[in-house]
Amino acid sequence: MLYSLHELAYQSAAPFRIGAQMARTFWTSPINPWSDTAIGRTAYASAELFENLTRRYGKPDWRLETVDVGGKPVRTAERVVWSSPWCRLVRFERDVTDLRKAGKPTTAPAVLIVAPLSGHYATLLRGTVETFLQDHDVYVTDWENARNVPMLEGRFDFHDYIDHVRAMLGQVGPGAHVVGVCQPGPPVLAACALMAEDKDPNRPASMTFMGSPIDARLSPTVTNQLAEERPFAWFKSNMIHTVPLPYPAVGRRVYPGFVQLYSFMSMNEDKHVDAHQRYFGHLVDGDGDSAQKHAEFYDEYLSVLDLTEEFYLQTIDIVFQQHLLPRGLLKHRGRTVDLTQIADIGLMTVEGEMDDISGVGQTQAAHGLCTNIPDDRRVLYVQPGVGHYGVFNGRRFRDEIYPRVCDFIALNEEAVGGLSARPAAAA
């Protein structure tokens, strides 16, 4: 019912959005003599703010047609190399001619970046991908919005996620380096353990976890406490809703992205209100640069996707309530996930000192669980002065975290004899 009411509210606001768009056009028209007056700018700002707050934010584009490599522009192209109804594996192919002009090698270690499936699209990692493209052949998981997957495609749960990670590592090939950002930590670690136990030739050379709840019992945050304090039945009763028409997945039970978005925004309500007040002021003052930065951030932040009921509830149960992986009790398709089987895969953990989503200690717990990894193939790093998003994005990530991750990947690339090196795309 909530999902249907949400759609009704959106559709009901359509005439007002059209009116706001017309007002915006009128007050910015060069033939309007009042457009550059205080009244005109205020009217335009009001229409722009209303339209932005009530419109539907779709999946953002990657916008990575060109990246900076060694101070030179290098063209990239997105290519889907594997897909299922639930995910596309996207490779960002770098142009070999541009790499030569930049004085960079035309082969590079393959890195699979596993994006979180927790409400936002994979494009939230645009800055992460762009940074890794300086030195690596980058693949990224591009998860599908559950409301777009018809019921005939079946379910998608926590264990399907593990299987997807294994399948995508198999597609990338032997010796790749996997990077799990936030939510993927537990299922990626489980997939690596299963591949190690099976002596899978496509098991990764290294795994890096950034701000991941490997053991959510440590340094619990507000998010962790909510998951632990509420009974499991509460999440099923209050967080799960049915996809309405006109979406392809009509009838599917999901955790709607808008519910998670409202939850996150309510945690920092004053911050978001202040940001939009400043945005309104920038529009009135004609400060286009500041207004553009605000718009770019919220275009990404307000773009959300739905999760399937089974994936969301199993994640709550397995990761945040029963803590099955760190307790050694997680079973996948009837097999116990044994982290001690990992012996020839490097391990790096990255945490933010001020992370209020995955507290310090939750990610580095992986070191104590993977006891058979050699010490010379481990790195434990805590970045001072950053919160959750600063672990994988922003200036501190680019200048201080990424160089350490890059060195770690190079160390493990050497350990496996450059097994993952992939040629760049032809010009």
Side-chain angles (χ1 to χ4, degrees):
M1 179 61 72
L2 178 64
Y3 212 138
S4 297
L5 291 174
H6 177 78
E7 287 301 307
L8 177 63
Y10 171 74
Q11 299 298 336
S12 298
F16 300 100
R17 280 193 299 276
I18 294 172
Q21 292 167 359
M22 294 174 62
R24 186 176 58 185
T25 301
F26 175 78
W27 288 110
T28 55
S29 173
I31 63 174
N32 184 344
W34 299 285
S35 63
D36 197 28
T37 64
I39 293 177
R41 291 194 299 271
T42 301
Y44 159 71
S46 300
E48 177 77 7
L49 184 61
F50 178 84
E51 200 274 335
N52 281 352
L53 290 174
T54 60
R55 70 181 175 91
R56 176 67 48 79
Y57 287 80
K59 181 181 179 181
D61 294 326
W62 281 100
R63 304 198 309 271
L64 291 175
E65 293 80 9
T66 303
V67 297
D68 183 281
V69 177
K72 301 287 185 179
V74 172
R75 288 167 291 174
T76 67
E78 296 176 40
R79 186 166 73 88
V80 178
V81 297
W82 180 91
S83 66
S84 79
W86 302 99
C87 187
R88 303 185 316 153
L89 179 60
V90 178
R91 182 189 183 194
F92 287 89
E93 298 180 333
R94 304 181 300 168
D95 186 90
V96 67
T97 301
D98 290 347
L99 285 172
R100 287 173 179 151
K101 289 179 180 178
K104 290 289 186 177
T106 57
T107 60
V111 174
L112 170 61
I113 299 177
V114 184
L117 180 56
S118 56
H120 284 95
Y121 288 95
T123 51
L124 188 68
L125 303 186
R126 183 182 296 107
T128 316
V129 173
E130 183 177 17
T131 303
F132 271 91
L133 278 169
Q134 296 177 63
D135 307 284
H136 305 95
D137 181 29
V138 178
Y139 300 74
V140 64
T141 61
D142 194 4
W143 300 103
E144 183 57 81
N145 191 332
R147 73 183 182 194
N148 294 330
V149 183
M151 292 281 284
L152 290 176
E153 298 293 349
R155 292 161 47 91
F156 180 84
D157 62 16
F158 187 87
H159 299 284
D160 293 319
Y161 193 112
I162 294 174
D163 291 338
H164 271 61
V165 172
R166 287 198 67 166
M168 287 184 279
L169 281 169
Q171 179 64 41
V172 177
H177 305 269
V178 63
V179 177
V181 181
C182 190
Q183 169 271 321
V188 169
L189 183 56
C192 291
L194 293 166
M195 295 177 82
E197 184 175 5
D198 293 342
K199 304 299 181 186
D200 191 322
N202 293 313
R203 63 188 182 276
S206 76
M207 48 189 181
T208 300
F209 300 109
M210 299 178 169
S212 296
I214 302 297
D215 189 345
R217 295 173 297 180
L218 307 175
S219 302
T221 63
V222 172
T223 304
N224 303 142
Q225 291 169 351
L226 173 64
E228 290 185 355
E229 291 171 359
R230 303 281 188 179
F232 183 77
W234 182 89
F235 290 95
K236 188 169 185 177
S237 299
N238 292 276
M239 296 298 184
I240 304 301
H241 303 278
T242 303
V243 177
L245 287 169
Y247 298 109
V250 57
R252 185 182 292 282
R253 297 283 285 171
V254 298
Y255 173 46
F258 67 83
V259 172
Q260 171 140 326
L261 179 63
Y262 293 158
S263 299
F264 271 128
M265 294 191 75
S266 66
M267 292 172 62
N268 296 284
E269 183 177 351
D270 292 341
K271 176 182 176 182
H272 293 294
V273 171
D274 290 344
H276 281 83
Q277 288 177 340
R278 290 194 300 271
Y279 176 57
F280 182 84
H282 295 322
L283 292 172
V284 172
D285 295 339
D287 185 353
D289 290 341
S290 298
Q292 181 64 24
K293 289 179 181 178
H294 172 96
E296 289 177 354
F297 173 81
Y298 277 98
D299 281 352
E300 192 74 53
Y301 189 79
L302 298 177
S303 299
V304 292
L305 53 75
D306 298 348
L307 314 181
T308 65
E309 172 186 33
E310 55 274 12
F311 174 76
Y312 172 72
L313 292 178
Q314 285 182 0
T315 299
I316 292 293
D317 181 49
I318 292 171
V319 178
F320 295 105
Q321 292 195 338
Q322 294 200 61
H323 315 285
L324 295 182
L325 182 65
R327 294 172 60 204
L329 300 177
L330 177 62
K331 289 186 177 293
H332 176 72
R333 313 298 185 199
R335 297 172 56 187
T336 299
V337 177
D338 183 2
L339 299 182
T340 64
Q341 293 291 328
I342 303 175
D344 59 358
I345 303 175
L347 171 63
M348 181 175 186
T349 59
V350 181
E351 296 177 314
E353 177 190 24
M354 302 169 66
D355 195 331
D356 59 354
I357 295 179
S358 294
V360 174
Q362 293 187 14
T363 309
Q364 62 185 262
H367 290 282
L369 298 169
C370 302
T371 55
N372 289 324
I373 297 176
D375 290 342
D376 61 356
R377 295 186 65 182
R378 298 174 179 268
V379 174
L380 187 161
Y381 182 67
V382 178
Q383 174 63 46
V386 301
H388 186 69
Y389 292 101
V391 168
F392 57 87
N393 223 329
R395 181 181 60 82
R396 292 284 187 87
F397 168 74
R398 293 190 301 270
D399 295 346
E400 301 181 47
I401 296 175
Y402 172 71
R404 289 176 166 86
V405 177
C406 191
D407 290 344
F408 170 74
I409 289 175
L411 171 69
N412 284 276
E413 185 72 2
E414 182 178 341
V416 297
L419 191 61
S420 83
R422 305 286 189 271

